[in-house]
Amino acid sequence: MKILVVDDEALIREVIREYCENEGYEVVEAASGMEALEVIKAGTIDFLILDIMMPKLDGYSTLKALNMERRLPTIMLSARKEEYDKLLGFELGVDDYMTKPFSPKELMARIKAVATRANLIPQDGYRYQDLYIDIIGHYVTLEGQELKLTPKEYELLVYFIQNKNIALSREVLLRKIWGYDFFGDDRTIDTHVKMLRNSLGKYRDCIVTVRGMGYKFVD
């Protein structure tokens, strides 16, 4: 997988490159939005890590210009923490959003999660100890025995495993699992998480409540 890292700070690009290459990814760098567009036109890029605050052409404008040509799995980086900035990024097609300063290890986990969902990392299933999710067969087994999950429980579990060790807000879970046109509230998530925990038996405690935010699946 070839990743384009776009940031006007050389140190940030260097850190991301080092961690990405340790994961086996190929990395290309760009110091501006204009340079990023030229790199994408010149070669095959699979994945984009894009800073917002850049001179001349910011991350949002770069993404708008890029989406006219092709859609790339994208993680946006920014020192901005306002909800508006995140929502604008998601409206433009960003897959994930991280605020600076960020943990490089968490960024690697998020890259893997986004790349897996985009089928850049092919998988027939996911395994966590003796819990197995068969993506092709659309079923889950625990110690070899199939679990009787509802469709939403199954989708929640897959999304949790794809984003292991990443805190997921109730808003994100509603959007990803139920869709933008769902008119329910946060209690829907809480109810389904409770059902899923009951189904997971000895692994129920792997789904941890993140107070005031949502949930995450932890090792």
Side-chain angles (χ1 to χ4, degrees):
M1 184 169 68
K2 183 182 288 188
I3 299 176
L4 173 60
V5 179
V6 189
D7 198 300
D8 60 334
E9 296 184 48
L11 180 58
I12 290 180
R13 297 199 309 271
E14 181 181 341
V15 170
I16 295 175
R17 170 187 282 277
E18 180 179 346
Y19 274 81
C20 283
E21 290 180 344
N22 286 340
E23 293 292 327
Y25 306 134
E26 182 179 352
V27 178
V28 180
E29 297 181 28
S32 68
M34 294 299 295
E35 185 180 344
L37 294 177
E38 292 301 317
V39 169
I40 290 169
K41 289 179 181 178
T44 302
I45 299 297
D46 302 306
F47 198 103
L48 183 63
I49 299 174
L50 179 65
D51 183 36
I52 293 180
M53 300 296 291
M54 295 184 293
K56 296 184 180 179
L57 193 66
D58 66 15
Y60 294 131
S61 300
T62 301
L63 200 59
K64 288 178 183 178
L66 172 61
N67 285 343
M68 296 177 65
E69 302 292 331
R70 58 181 296 213
R71 169 77 174 86
L72 285 174
T74 302
I75 293 178
M76 185 161 271
L77 305 176
S78 177
R80 296 177 176 178
K81 299 182 180 180
E82 289 78 7
E83 183 180 49
Y84 166 80
D85 294 299
K86 296 181 181 181
L87 292 177
L88 178 56
F90 287 128
E91 286 175 5
L92 292 173
V94 168
D95 296 276
D96 207 344
Y97 187 108
M98 293 188 71
T99 55
K100 297 178 179 178
F102 58 89
S103 160
K105 290 183 178 180
E106 182 179 349
L107 176 59
M108 294 305 105
R110 290 176 181 267
I111 290 172
K112 185 175 181 180
V114 172
T116 299
R117 294 197 297 270
N119 295 318
L120 292 175
I121 302 176
Q123 278 186 271
D124 295 331
Y126 301 95
R127 181 175 297 281
Y128 177 75
Q129 297 183 23
D130 49 12
L131 180 69
Y132 181 70
I133 304 173
D134 189 303
I135 301 299
I136 296 177
H138 207 270
Y139 65 86
V140 179
T141 61
L142 175 59
E143 297 178 335
Q145 299 298 313
E146 184 173 351
L147 299 181
K148 302 300 181 182
L149 303 181
T150 67
K152 291 303 182 188
E153 284 180 78
Y154 173 84
E155 291 179 47
L156 265 177
L157 180 58
V158 170
Y159 196 71
F160 277 134
I161 295 292
Q162 287 176 334
N163 294 275
K164 191 167 56 177
N165 298 318
I166 296 174
L168 303 167
S169 69
R170 290 175 175 85
E171 178 186 2
V172 166
L173 291 170
L174 280 173
R175 186 175 70 247
K176 294 294 185 179
I177 307 302
W178 277 264
Y180 285 96
D181 55 351
F182 179 72
F183 293 103
D185 56 27
D186 290 353
R187 288 174 295 181
T188 299
I189 294 294
D190 296 335
T191 298
H192 281 79
V193 167
K194 181 179 179 180
M195 294 166 55
L196 178 57
R197 280 172 168 162
N198 289 337
S199 298
L200 291 179
K202 67 180 184 180
Y203 293 119
R204 61 175 291 113
D205 293 335
C206 288
I207 302 177
V208 175
T209 300
V210 181
R211 184 172 297 180
M213 181 185 180
Y215 302 93
K216 65 178 177 179
F217 192 99
V218 299
D219 287 325

